[in-house]
Amino acid sequence: MGKKDYYEVLGISRSADEKEIKRAYRKLAKKYHPDTNPGDRQAEQKFKEATEAYNVLSDAEKKKLYDQYGFAAFEDGFRSDTDHTGRRDSFSGSFHFGGADMGDMGGVFDDLFGSMFGGGFGNSYESRHFRQKGADAQADIQISFDEAVLGCEKVIHLRDGNGKTSSLQVHIPAGIDEGQSVRLKGKGASGINGGAFGDLMLKVHITPKAGYERKGNDVYVTVNIPYTTAVLGGEAIVPTLTGKVSCKIAPGTQSGSKIRLKNKGIPSMKNPAHRGDEYIVIQIEVPRNLSPDERQKLMEYERACKVHGHGGNVA
């Protein structure tokens, strides 16, 4: 079966200008690109035909030759009747173009598919046999609050197109936040015609931890202290991300007040030596089930507060 007319392949008239040619090709490239039609040989063939047609019709010199001589212009040994210099105007059957001959081809694909081709085309391109990086894939992984803070190693299981499962150890960096991803190079979809594998983007989801709230690299921890400690001052044992520490409580501390523990927060992913802060949020424990003697003492305290103008109210 003979090759299709290039104008017919792109669905344009022979009078189409440069913009119409490019617009027609963009539409077909999006529709038949192998990444959007995995395993579809017919779509791959249409994509190659459209690319070949665009390679010729988008180049003024090649388009002129094609309009005059058709496919014969690109056969080995072709010489135009108007060539009086003895120069042989020939093009290889594979339509191989060096980087300098590609015109805006790289720009067309960058517009269409972004970084799908690894930042555009390289120094060569063959319309009938091109190498293309595989598509990136995405998966989800669930980790604990502490694993996100401290970093961890996780084992995930990958299944290839043949149903074969393999295990892979993944490093989750300390300080990673909800919704961020870890990129696994070369673990995505396979490339076309020997192209590099795509990457796997492992999206992280973090299980909350009771009593802890993260805000950027700072962490907020709620701590209950006795009523007497809040009034008289003292010390309280409080949890941090790296273990318990003793924290000084100033006399007259109010419920809801915050105590800052510098550099006790979450490490930065960019520089683990830099950490956020931990904020202790104070909640005061109100005494319950008082004995008669305890109640009597508190009532005396209430009367003393009123005498000295400090206020006070005991139920």
Side-chain angles (χ1 to χ4, degrees):
M1 184 176 178
K3 295 173 68 173
K4 292 183 181 179
D5 177 75
Y6 287 150
Y7 291 98
E8 182 183 340
V9 169
L10 296 183
I12 55 178
S13 68
R14 302 186 79 83
S15 62
D17 61 18
E18 183 181 347
K19 289 184 178 179
E20 290 176 293
I21 293 171
K22 187 172 183 178
R23 183 164 55 245
Y25 176 64
R26 285 170 59 90
K27 182 178 179 181
L28 292 173
K30 277 189 176 181
K31 182 177 181 180
Y32 294 117
H33 192 276
D35 270 5
T36 55
N37 301 273
D40 188 334
R41 295 291 183 184
Q42 187 175 3
E44 183 177 344
Q45 181 60 32
K46 287 183 180 294
F47 176 75
K48 291 179 180 179
E49 289 176 353
T51 301
E52 182 177 317
Y54 180 76
N55 280 334
V56 173
L57 299 183
S58 64
D59 184 289
E61 182 181 348
K62 296 182 182 71
K63 181 177 183 296
K64 183 178 179 180
L65 286 171
Y66 177 72
D67 288 343
Q68 281 187 279
Y69 304 104
F71 295 116
F74 308 109
E75 295 177 355
D76 288 337
F78 169 78
R79 179 181 177 186
S80 70
D81 293 338
T82 58
D83 185 359
H84 302 294
T85 65
R87 179 176 57 86
R88 295 167 62 89
D89 294 323
S90 63
F91 301 87
S92 69
S94 65
F95 292 93
H96 182 279
F97 300 102
D101 297 322
M102 284 181 61
D104 66 350
M105 194 67 184
V108 170
F109 275 89
D110 284 342
D111 289 345
L112 283 171
F113 308 110
S115 61
M116 184 179 293
F117 290 86
F121 281 75
N123 293 326
S124 65
Y125 174 78
E126 289 190 16
S127 61
R128 291 186 182 180
H129 185 75
F130 59 91
R131 290 185 177 184
Q132 174 192 323
K133 179 184 176 183
D136 291 342
Q138 181 172 307
D140 298 286
I141 187 171
Q142 192 79 30
I143 63 175
S144 70
F145 185 91
D146 288 342
E147 287 174 330
V149 169
L150 303 175
C152 63
E153 302 292 326
K154 304 292 281 189
V155 175
I156 63 173
H157 303 284
L158 304 176
R159 182 180 299 173
D160 62 21
N162 299 318
K164 184 179 178 181
T165 301
S166 60
S167 298
L168 178 68
Q169 184 166 305
V170 180
H171 174 68
I172 306 296
I176 197 165
D177 207 349
E178 172 68 29
Q180 290 185 311
S181 295
V182 176
R183 181 184 292 272
L184 304 179
K185 295 271 188 185
K187 299 302 179 180
S190 60
I192 301 295
N193 292 331
F197 276 70
D199 300 333
L200 174 61
M201 304 301 293
L202 199 58
K203 190 174 184 179
V204 171
H205 300 285
I206 302 171
T207 303
K209 183 176 184 178
Y212 287 76
E213 181 183 3
R214 178 173 180 170
K215 294 182 181 180
N217 284 343
D218 294 333
V219 63
Y220 291 73
V221 181
T222 300
V223 173
N224 294 326
I225 64 172
Y227 174 77
T228 51
T229 302
V231 173
L232 303 175
E235 291 187 349
I237 302 299
V238 300
T240 72
L241 298 173
T242 54
K244 294 181 177 181
V245 299
S246 178
C247 180
K248 185 176 180 180
I249 306 297
T253 295
Q254 302 297 303
S255 188
S257 60
K258 299 179 183 66
I259 301 173
R260 178 188 179 196
L261 302 181
K262 193 174 181 180
N263 298 325
K264 290 292 185 180
I266 297 168
S268 166
M269 283 184 63
K270 294 181 179 179
N271 185 352
H274 294 169
R275 304 179 70 102
D277 300 327
E278 178 172 327
Y279 290 88
I280 304 298
V281 183
I282 298 296
Q283 284 191 347
I284 298 174
E285 296 176 341
V286 178
R288 297 172 178 270
N289 303 317
L290 297 175
S291 68
D293 184 56
E294 290 169 337
R295 184 177 179 80
Q296 180 63 35
K297 296 293 184 182
L298 279 175
M299 292 182 71
E300 292 176 2
Y301 166 73
E302 181 183 37
R303 286 193 291 270
C305 286
K306 289 180 179 180
V307 169
H308 294 92
H310 296 158
N313 186 25
V314 178

